[in-house]
Amino acid sequence: MMDAKQRYTLTARTLHWLMAVMLLGMLGLGFYMQGLPLSPQKLQIYSWHKWAGITVFLLAVLRLAWRVAHRPPALPSHMGRAAIALAHLAHGLLYALMLIIPLSGWLMSSAMGFQTVWFGVLPLPDLLGRDRELAQLLGQVHLALNWSLIVLVAGHVLAVLKHQFWDRDGILARMTFSFSRPR
């Protein structure tokens, strides 16, 4: 059993896994909806995607605030300086993408002239005026950022698997849920 000081807080773990599920769902939904013909169903799916994107943005802000206020557990002592620097860089980029991707979608939606209405109830301000060329550019940026997220998440998962099965240092247990009391 892992010592409580070596684990992330329950809030950090909950936010991590909630965000992981939401991001994977958002990626899947985003790629799925691209191929749909124009229809009321496609417009509804776009609305859901936008609602979820704003929710991801807000959760990312909350998660970042939690991370700043609650120091994460130290990385394993066997990790070299380069590996630690790479881990910090990857985490920083993941946080940045969790903020920038929803923002780029909101900007794109604004430039397309489609207001974002969070959960169909709260209209959010358009961040840009209507501009078709800018909307197309922002669409390309949004897609490129999502592919960057996919690559980073794949690297993150591979790093966790390396730690779990090669290093056997228990780094995965720091972020998973335990049904027994910590020591």
Side-chain angles (χ1 to χ4, degrees), residues 106 110 115-116 122-128:
W106 188 359
S110 295
Q115 185 177 33
T116 299
L122 180 64
L124 301 177
D126 285 331
L127 301 177
L128 297 170

Side-chain angles (χ1 to χ4, degrees), residues 7-96:
R7 295 179 62 102
Y8 283 88
T9 64
L10 178 61
T11 301
R13 287 180 279 148
T14 301
L15 287 170
H16 174 274
W17 291 107
L18 178 61
M19 293 288 294
V21 168
M22 287 192 72
L23 289 171
L24 289 174
M26 289 288 292
L27 286 166
L29 188 61
F31 284 111
Y32 168 74
M33 68 188 196
Q34 291 295 308
L36 293 176
L38 185 60
S39 67
Q41 178 193 19
K42 181 175 184 169
L43 295 176
Q44 183 62 59
I45 291 171
Y46 265 82
S47 290
W48 293 341
H49 185 78
K50 288 166 40 170
W51 301 347
I54 295 300
T55 303
V56 164
F57 179 81
L58 294 172
L59 286 172
V61 169
L62 176 63
R63 188 169 177 203
L64 188 58
W66 186 265
R67 174 77 183 251
V68 168
H70 298 84
R71 188 179 192 125
L75 291 169
S77 59
H78 68 81
M79 289 179 64
R81 286 194 333 215
I84 290 171
L86 186 59
H88 289 308
L89 174 64
H91 281 108
L93 290 172
L94 285 168
Y95 277 105

Side-chain angles (χ1 to χ4, degrees), residues 65-164:
W66 186 265
R67 174 77 183 251
V68 168
H70 298 84
R71 188 179 192 125
L75 291 169
S77 59
H78 68 81
M79 289 179 64
R81 286 194 333 215
I84 290 171
L86 186 59
H88 289 308
L89 174 64
H91 281 108
L93 290 172
L94 285 168
Y95 277 105
L97 287 172
M98 287 187 286
L99 294 167
I100 295 169
I101 290 172
L103 185 58
S104 71
W106 188 359
L107 288 166
M108 176 181 55
S109 188
S110 295
M112 292 174 89
F114 297 113
Q115 185 177 33
T116 299
V117 182
W118 194 36
F119 290 106
V121 177
L122 180 64
L124 301 177
D126 285 331
L127 301 177
L128 297 170
R130 190 173 183 158
D131 183 332
R132 190 181 248 314
E133 287 179 28
L134 182 57
Q136 289 177 341
L137 174 63
L138 287 166
Q140 293 170 352
V141 168
H142 191 66
L143 181 62
L145 290 170
N146 277 286
W147 278 110
S148 299
L149 179 66
I150 291 169
V151 168
L152 266 172
V153 167
H156 181 68
V157 169
L158 288 173
V160 168
L161 293 173
K162 177 219 176 252
H163 280 280
Q164 182 69 20

